[in-house]
Amino acid sequence: MGKDRYLTFALCKGRLANQTLGLFEKIGISCQEISDPGTRKLIFVNEELKLRFFLAKGPDVPTYVEYGAADIGIVVRDIIMEEQRKVYEVLDLGFGKCRMCVCGPESARDLLNSQERIRVATKYPNIAKEYFYDQKNQTVEIIKLNGSIELAPIVGLSEVIVDIVETGSTLRENGLVVLEEVCPLSARVTVNPVSMRMENERITKLLQDLSACVSAGG
Ligand code: PRP
């Protein structure tokens, strides 16, 4: 493709977008107006470098990348695992660190070692299914929720939850604990497979710069 084509980035709205833009600044890629907290604009252009950035809801980022509406997407890995889109996951950016865990009251620990058909509430049904069915060989009932997952075991909707734990304070304040760790998570760079071929030079250079910056401590 020609030199004039824009390379398009899908970023996850919120704190992760700010951290991502901070890292980009360090490798000489800036996009002033996107960091303006008052703006309602969703798309931003760096004319000089022929780059475009847009802000999307986290779970939509891999969708934009799979369809090629964005060449590159940056999200925490839970979303990549849950959405199961056809994208290349190419770089760990080292921030946005947290863990995907099975949590619940201490009293639920034994249920995880039994073959009982327990109920698991989660925002991540695919991750929960993969963990319980494929890794643990335990048949469970998965109940999809959209947020405030910690409520589920407290009010008796489920025995345990599969959710993100960052500082652990939501669990602590609600009398819950981590029972098992599913996997560690952090922000990842994803690339559309066709873009990776067609824009290989530009994307490889960008990944090298990002990787060097991350290795040097971000
Ligand atoms: C996430 C997650 C936990 C919490 C963990 O929820 O689902 O509830 O953060 O963070 P902590 O370990 O630092 O307490 P989020 O705030 O994204 O909102 P949600 O409840 O709507 O999912």
Side-chain angles (χ1 to χ4, degrees):
M1 281 197 202
K3 261 198 239 126
D4 289 334
R5 182 183 179 277
Y6 285 95
L7 211 53
T8 303
F9 294 77
L11 306 182
C12 191
K13 252 186 189 173
R15 193 153 63 99
L16 198 72
N18 293 335
Q19 284 175 295
T20 304
L21 291 166
L23 181 63
F24 281 5
E25 292 260 341
K26 289 187 186 154
I27 63 164
I29 293 176
S30 62
C31 201
Q32 289 276 291
E33 38 171 8
I34 203 168
S35 0
D36 168 5
T39 186
R40 300 290 294 167
K41 255 178 97 169
L42 293 170
I43 186 146
F44 306 90
V45 180
N46 179 323
E47 284 297 346
E48 196 193 329
L49 299 171
K50 288 281 176 246
L51 302 174
R52 284 201 306 180
F53 299 86
F54 65 79
L55 299 174
K57 281 271 191 193
D60 297 338
V61 167
T63 312
Y64 285 106
V65 177
E66 177 180 297
Y67 283 92
D71 300 291
I72 293 174
I74 294 169
V75 276
V76 175
R77 186 153 184 264
D78 57 331
I79 289 172
I80 304 170
M81 292 166 71
E82 182 60 27
E83 296 302 316
Q84 302 179 340
R85 293 284 177 181
K86 294 185 196 73
V87 299
Y88 292 153
E89 183 187 319
V90 294
L91 184 64
D92 183 347
L93 293 178
F95 53 77
K97 278 198 171 141
C98 51
R99 301 183 290 156
M100 185 64 70
C101 296
V102 180
C103 311
E106 189 56 53
S107 60
R109 193 179 291 278
D110 288 346
L111 295 172
L112 294 171
N113 299 317
S114 68
Q115 279 307 309
E116 267 189 72
R117 195 188 161 89
I118 56 170
R119 293 165 302 172
V120 179
T122 186
K123 212 156 62 168
Y124 302 93
N126 289 328
I127 295 175
K129 213 177 290 166
E130 208 270 332
Y131 181 69
F132 279 98
Y133 283 64
D134 301 345
Q135 290 191 44
K136 280 181 60 91
N137 273 317
Q138 184 174 3
T139 305
V140 296
E141 183 175 347
I142 291 166
I143 302 171
K144 165 88 200 283
L145 290 179
N146 295 297
S148 301
I149 315 297
E150 290 81 0
L151 262 180
I154 299 172
V155 300
L157 177 65
S158 70
E159 281 69 42
V160 297
I161 61 175
V162 167
D163 200 16
I164 285 174
V165 179
E166 193 179 349
T167 61
S169 50
T170 311
L171 290 180
R172 267 195 305 281
E173 287 182 29
N174 291 288
L176 305 174
V177 292
V178 171
L179 298 169
E180 292 176 357
E181 179 174 315
V182 178
C183 61
L185 301 166
S186 55
R188 306 294 163 105
V189 179
T190 60
V191 182
N192 171 277
V194 176
S195 306
M196 194 57 148
R197 268 204 321 276
M198 306 300 277
E199 295 286 341
N200 192 271
E201 211 171 303
R202 280 172 95 188
I203 293 177
T204 304
K205 167 82 170 70
L206 174 83
L207 294 174
Q208 278 167 354
D209 289 353
L210 285 173
S211 174
C213 189
V214 170
S215 305

